[in-house]
């Protein structure tokens, strides 16, 4: 069988190049993991695990996507594994949290006057204030119980659908909505205390 020059070039262009991964993709993958996990050590570990997993499966890389996309997909599954592990370790926890047990609403469903959300005033802030707000938001999220933080991250950072989150974390739909509500209430209270 005669291999054309074009076919050879195509084959060479889809061959993975592991010796270039660290220089080319480590910073990007680390940023991707940090945005979702919010823990430097875990993010570094996940990037290393991603490279190791990719090395073990380098012969399966077909070039249907870029190396960056392929490595990011591996990392995404590693992050979901972290979420699953966190959710399992707290699956039996009592979901009563001090602030979540407070009733913020009247019987007719309206906010209590003293518990109404205050305006955050972030609509017209400069970039420096926005960065400060993001730092406070991350700290508030880290105060959540592990399962709540995991669900909140998947819903609002990963933008996953409720069905997928319930399936991945093996929680019921009812439990999911309770967790989302309690996480939002806790984060709101934390932001009002630390940002306003």
């Amino acid at each position: 069988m005669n291999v054309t020059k074009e076919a050879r070039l195509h084959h060479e262009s889809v061959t993975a190049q592991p010796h270039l991964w660290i220089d080319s993709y480590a910073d990007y993958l680390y940023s991707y993991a940090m945005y979702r996990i919010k823990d430097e050590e875990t993010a570094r570990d996940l990037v290393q695990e991603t490279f190791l997993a990719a090395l073990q499966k380098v012969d399966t890389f077909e070039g249907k996507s870029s190396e960056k996309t392929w490595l990011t997909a591996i990392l995404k599954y590693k992050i979901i594994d972290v979420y699953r592990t966190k959710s399992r370790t707290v699956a039996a926890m009592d979901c009563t949290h001090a602030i979540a047990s407070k009733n913020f609403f009247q019987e007719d469903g309206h906010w209590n006057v003293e518990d109404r959300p205050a305006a955050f005033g972030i609509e017209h802030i400069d970039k420096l204030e926005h960065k400060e707000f993001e730092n406070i938001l991350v700290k508030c999220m880290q105060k959540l119980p592990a399962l709540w933080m995991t669900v909140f991250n998947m819903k609002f950072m990963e933008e996953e659908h409720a069905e997928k989150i319930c399936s991945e974390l093996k929680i019921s739909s009812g439990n999911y909505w309770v967790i989302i509500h309690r996480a939002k209430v806790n984060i709101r209270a934390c932001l009002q205390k630390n940002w306003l």
Side-chain angles (χ1 to χ4, degrees):
M1 179 177 204
N2 202 359
V3 178
T4 67
K5 182 178 179 182
E6 185 178 305
R8 249 192 333 248
L9 286 173
H10 177 70
H11 176 70
E12 289 170 6
S13 68
V14 297
T15 303
Q17 299 178 333
H19 62 285
L20 300 176
W21 289 350
I22 292 175
D23 291 337
S24 300
Y25 309 117
D27 290 340
Y28 167 78
L29 294 172
Y30 175 76
S31 296
Y32 185 93
M34 269 301 292
Y35 182 75
R36 287 148 181 85
I37 298 293
K38 313 289 189 244
D39 178 16
E40 291 179 18
E41 187 176 333
T42 304
R44 280 192 298 269
D45 289 346
L46 288 172
V47 171
Q48 289 177 3
E49 289 174 22
T50 298
F51 287 143
L52 288 172
L55 277 173
Q56 291 171 348
K57 298 182 179 193
V58 73
D59 57 330
T60 65
F61 179 70
E62 298 175 352
K64 292 180 180 175
S65 63
S66 69
E67 281 182 306
K68 182 178 180 180
T69 302
W70 182 61
L71 291 168
T72 304
I74 294 170
L75 177 59
K76 186 174 183 180
Y77 283 107
K78 299 269 178 211
I79 291 169
I80 289 172
D81 287 342
V82 169
Y83 290 160
R84 274 194 204 124
T85 302
K86 281 184 180 180
S87 73
R88 275 189 225 119
T89 59
V90 293
M93 75 174 240
D94 177 17
C95 282
T96 359
H97 196 265
I99 196 158
S101 63
K102 182 177 184 211
N103 189 2
F104 290 93
F105 303 98
Q106 301 169 5
E107 286 186 27
D108 63 359
H110 290 88
W111 286 95
N112 292 328
V113 174
E114 66 276 6
D115 295 317
R116 286 185 185 148
F120 285 118
I122 62 171
E123 296 79 17
H124 306 290
I125 60 175
D126 65 30
K127 289 182 181 186
L128 183 61
E129 287 178 340
H130 183 68
K131 187 70 175 165
E132 183 182 339
F133 175 78
E134 283 182 359
N135 290 337
I136 292 170
L137 175 61
V138 167
K139 288 178 183 171
C140 289
M141 288 173 58
Q142 290 172 339
K143 291 180 182 180
L144 294 174
L147 180 60
W148 296 9
M149 183 177 168
T150 299
V151 171
F152 191 86
N153 263 330
M154 290 180 79
K155 171 69 176 163
F156 297 106
M157 303 304 182
E158 293 288 325
E159 299 180 352
E160 297 289 355
H161 295 287
E163 299 81 26
K164 182 172 182 183
I165 295 170
C166 291
S167 170
E168 293 283 342
L169 300 178
K170 299 186 181 4
I171 58 175
S172 70
S173 176
N175 194 9
Y176 165 81
W177 289 110
V178 168
I179 290 169
I180 287 291
H181 170 72
R182 290 180 176 174
K184 286 164 66 173
V185 166
N186 277 268
I187 288 174
R188 178 184 67 95
C190 180
L191 288 172
Q192 284 181 323
K193 180 180 176 185
N194 296 295
W195 176 252
L196 297 178

